[in-house]
Amino acid sequence: MDMKSDKIKKGPGGASVRALFYGMGYVREEIDRPIIGIVNSQNEIVPGHMLLGRIADAAKTGVLMAGGTPAEFPAIGICDGIAMGHEGMKYPLASRELICDSIEAMAVAHQFDGLVLIPNCDKIVPGMLMAAARLNIPSVVVSGGPMRAGFSDGKALDFNSIMEQIGIYKNGGCTEEELEEIAERACPGCGSCSGLFTANSMNCLTEALGMGLPYNGTALCDSGERIRIAKTAGMKVMELVRKNIRPRDILTEKAFENAITVDMAMAGSTNTVLHLPAIAHEAGLALDLSLFDKLSEKTPYIAKLSPSGGHHLEDLHRAGGIPSIIHELTKKGLIHKDCVTVTAATLGENTANTPVADSTVILPIDKPYRNRGGLAILRGNLAPDGAVVKESAVAEEMLRHTGPAVVFDSEEEASAAIWDKKIKKGDVIVIRYEGPRGGPGMLEMLSPTSSIAGMGLDKDVALLTDGRFSGASRGASIGHVSPEAMNGGLIAFLRDGDVIRIDIPGRSLSVELDEAEIAKRKAAFTQPEPKVNSGYLARYARLVTSANTGAVLR
């Protein structure tokens, strides 16, 4: 079998490379085998990444059992929850590109024959998938798995619970001791946060794309099943090397349609609308936002997890996980079953015998929560290039809303106004200059959305931004408004009191301004100075594109 690594380690010319391997303790038999990079984003600051050393060890065992030589190297990983609400939140999305670029650098410099990619949290998963698509060498993604839900007084808790409890506390609804009790119980152990937030959404969609093994998205972090999946991933990457099955054989247009369909069926994070186009871009494909709406129109919403509902990832796993959701979707012909996956079998073959085990968690396809998907793409004069909302997490009375704009030029200003109770029922909070370029880094707005929910205003107040929302956000939270303010989008010209019209079922987002007034404001517009003028973020801001293109770098 010809191997990519042969060009650096074979023959007389490879003696110098062999010498370096000998110096590390490798024997000739190991050097002669395929070299598999084990990309481990383990660290001790992110709950989802704390235990990834176990996953890496299991994946290396799998590679060894299948006749390969594993070589582990690191990747960074930022915790969005810790970065939330301060200048650190400028970095998570931007780190996605660093992760992708650094894996490219390591894989090409050392001529790996294949990769096992081990992420778990929000930007690390798409960053690694982007790297796999860009490099196009045999690759398997295996995540660290979700944490269990917490409990208090018989009620399930997750990270969003503590964020909203802060709002309840600020509003006088609980004591500091009661707040701390929720803090102690919301995250009972390691793993990606237990709701269908961005990390778990992307880990589940990794399965639907075909880049992860069945149950990659739902098998719990602390389970033996998770270790078995990691060992199997190590064995499977060797099969992919032997059969020369590469990421771009898997990441086809049909595969992305499958992922979007599964996303709509379970109402994943709005951030999936940012990450899937970025992954597609690296695979040489273009995903237009219109495809999300097209697939949403015909995809029944059959799994309602936190923050849209009361179930968590452990419940979804018990009910059959992503294979059972796919199995149910195939009943209506909504899945391309012929797509190849990292199992070397097709998605249809992987899910042919995976019926739903608990129909209270995954509803029958002919008895869904509703007949269209959980995410919506809105357009109008405020968002000609699109905006995104998790429709399934919006209260019925807020699906259509008209109200006065209350405009802020940063998340910090908006959060302070919410805490100071300056927001009234009916208002539309506008947070601008937080897009990919303006933030820079497209800040995630869980602090203001959870504050609104915690203060009991989520059925009365809307929020729209050129930034983005945490997968844990709920309510009429409309993000990714494109073009962003920093690029001269209409959101930059809004003033307090402008009437905003939101029609989520009608897929529209507009402001009641005539063309003459818009032109007048545009003529008077002066672009503000960048918020960051040095370091990586300044370079990122100069290169990043709009949210509707996945915020990729040009």
Side-chain angles (χ1 to χ4, degrees):
M1 176 176 63
D2 291 332
M3 294 180 289
K4 192 177 180 70
S5 61
D6 284 351
K7 68 176 68 172
I8 63 168
K9 68 185 184 183
K10 288 281 183 160
S16 58
V17 171
R18 294 196 297 275
L20 295 170
F21 274 87
Y22 290 142
M24 291 184 282
Y26 289 86
V27 298
R28 183 62 185 263
E29 287 79 3
E30 290 177 288
I31 299 170
D32 287 342
R33 293 172 180 170
I35 309 295
I36 306 298
I38 308 296
V39 190
N40 184 6
S41 56
Q42 190 274 336
N43 61 46
E44 296 181 352
I45 192 66
V46 186
H49 291 241
M50 184 79 172
L51 302 181
L52 291 187
R54 300 164 64 243
I55 305 300
D57 288 345
K60 287 188 281 189
T61 297
V63 170
L64 289 166
M65 287 193 295
T69 298
E72 182 179 340
F73 65 91
I76 63 170
I78 292 174
C79 177
D80 286 45
I82 296 173
M84 194 77 63
H86 58 88
E87 64 181 354
M89 186 40 76
K90 298 180 187 296
Y91 284 89
L93 181 61
S95 76
R96 186 186 71 179
E97 315 307 316
L98 291 174
I99 292 162
C100 179
D101 290 350
S102 63
I103 294 170
E104 175 197 351
M106 287 292 289
V108 177
H110 301 106
Q111 292 293 291
F112 288 114
D113 296 298
L115 296 172
V116 177
L117 300 145
I118 306 172
N120 211 27
C121 292
D122 295 27
K123 312 309 167 296
I124 301 89
V125 182
M128 289 195 180
L129 283 165
M130 290 164 66
R134 181 187 296 179
L135 290 162
N136 202 33
I137 60 175
S139 302
V140 179
V141 176
V142 54
S143 77
M147 70 169 65
R148 298 179 186 276
F151 283 90
S152 178
D153 295 328
K155 179 184 176 184
L157 302 175
D158 52 42
F159 181 69
N160 199 37
S161 304
I162 185 58
M163 292 298 292
E164 293 189 3
Q165 195 72 23
I166 294 170
I168 293 171
Y169 170 74
K170 292 273 190 178
N171 203 34
C174 73
T175 65
E176 191 169 347
E177 290 74 21
E178 289 169 330
L179 175 65
E180 195 63 21
E181 181 184 353
I182 299 299
E184 290 178 357
R185 297 188 179 191
C187 300
C190 289
S192 48
C193 293
S194 57
L196 192 62
F197 312 144
T198 304
N200 288 327
S201 295
M202 289 307 304
N203 283 325
C204 288
L205 296 190
T206 298
E207 284 185 55
L209 282 169
M211 288 297 296
L213 296 171
Y215 309 105
N216 172 74
T218 58
L220 288 168
C221 173
D222 58 3
S223 66
E225 183 178 8
R226 174 60 56 183
I227 300 301
R228 296 197 302 274
I229 290 171
K231 287 178 181 176
T232 304
M235 292 186 282
K236 282 296 179 182
V237 77
M238 290 301 299
E239 183 177 356
L240 299 181
V241 169
R242 289 193 297 271
K243 294 181 176 178
N244 196 29
I245 298 174
R246 305 183 183 203
R248 293 192 187 187
D249 299 323
I250 295 169
L251 294 171
T252 62
E253 289 184 16
K254 287 183 177 181
F256 282 100
E257 289 185 6
N258 285 341
I260 295 169
T261 298
V262 171
D263 196 12
M264 294 303 168
M266 63 181 187
S269 165
T270 53
N271 283 319
T272 60
V273 183
L274 197 64
H275 297 319
L276 289 175
I279 298 162
H281 172 76
E282 296 294 347
L285 303 171
L287 286 189
D288 190 87
L289 291 190
S290 61
L291 180 60
F292 288 82
D293 235 18
K294 175 185 173 184
L295 294 174
S296 179
E297 283 293 329
K298 62 180 182 179
T299 303
Y301 176 35
I302 59 174
K304 198 171 191 178
L305 282 75
S306 176
S308 300
H311 294 130
H312 290 81
L313 266 289
E314 62 204 73
D315 303 309
L316 179 60
H317 187 64
R318 187 184 67 253
I322 299 305
S324 291
I325 288 180
I326 292 172
H327 182 86
E328 202 65 23
L329 292 170
T330 59
K331 294 178 180 178
K332 294 262 185 173
L334 297 172
I335 292 291
H336 301 292
K337 296 191 290 184
D338 58 340
C339 289
V340 68
T341 75
V342 292
T343 66
T346 66
L347 191 66
E349 290 168 336
N350 289 346
T351 59
N353 297 303
T354 57
V356 173
D358 186 343
S359 60
T360 67
V361 178
I362 303 172
L363 299 188
I365 193 134
D366 56 355
K367 295 180 181 178
Y369 290 106
R370 61 182 190 193
N371 288 315
R372 67 180 186 182
L375 303 181
I377 308 299
L378 311 184
R379 297 183 190 271
N381 65 358
L382 255 180
D385 293 335
V388 184
V389 63
K390 183 180 278 195
E391 184 176 3
S392 63
V394 180
E396 189 69 26
E397 51 266 57
M398 289 298 292
L399 289 171
R400 290 183 174 89
H401 179 76
T402 300
V406 186
V407 183
F408 302 96
D409 288 345
S410 71
E411 179 195 13
E412 293 88 349
E413 293 175 17
S415 293
I418 295 166
W419 294 134
D420 291 343
K421 301 183 179 179
K422 294 179 179 179
I423 302 302
K424 303 184 299 294
K425 289 185 177 182
D427 285 346
V428 178
I429 301 170
V430 177
I431 305 177
R432 63 190 177 191
Y433 297 110
E434 297 291 16
R437 186 179 168 205
M442 204 178 182
L443 271 67
E444 198 167 82
M445 307 287 176
L446 183 57
S447 292
T449 58
S450 56
S451 300
I452 289 167
M455 297 175 81
L457 292 172
D458 56 303
K459 295 182 180 179
D460 302 290
V461 170
L463 192 155
L464 64 93
T465 180
D466 53 6
R468 59 193 176 87
F469 293 108
S470 165
S473 295
R474 61 185 177 94
S477 303
I478 301 165
H480 305 205
V481 171
S482 301
E484 64 173 291
M486 201 66 176
N487 286 340
L490 183 51
I491 190 173
F493 314 144
L494 294 182
R495 298 174 183 169
D496 287 348
D498 287 343
V499 177
I500 308 294
R501 285 192 175 275
I502 299 166
D503 183 355
I504 296 174
R507 301 298 194 251
S508 71
L509 176 64
S510 61
V511 58
E512 292 185 356
L513 293 175
D514 60 35
E515 290 301 321
E517 177 63 20
I518 292 171
K520 179 181 175 182
R521 294 186 187 185
K522 186 173 184 178
F525 173 70
T526 301
Q527 189 178 75
E529 287 295 312
K531 294 178 181 177
V532 179
N533 291 296
S534 63
Y536 171 60
L537 285 177
R539 297 197 302 275
Y540 177 85
R542 288 195 294 269
L543 298 172
V544 71
T545 62
S546 175
N548 67 295
T549 64
V552 297
L553 300 188
R554 301 291 188 192

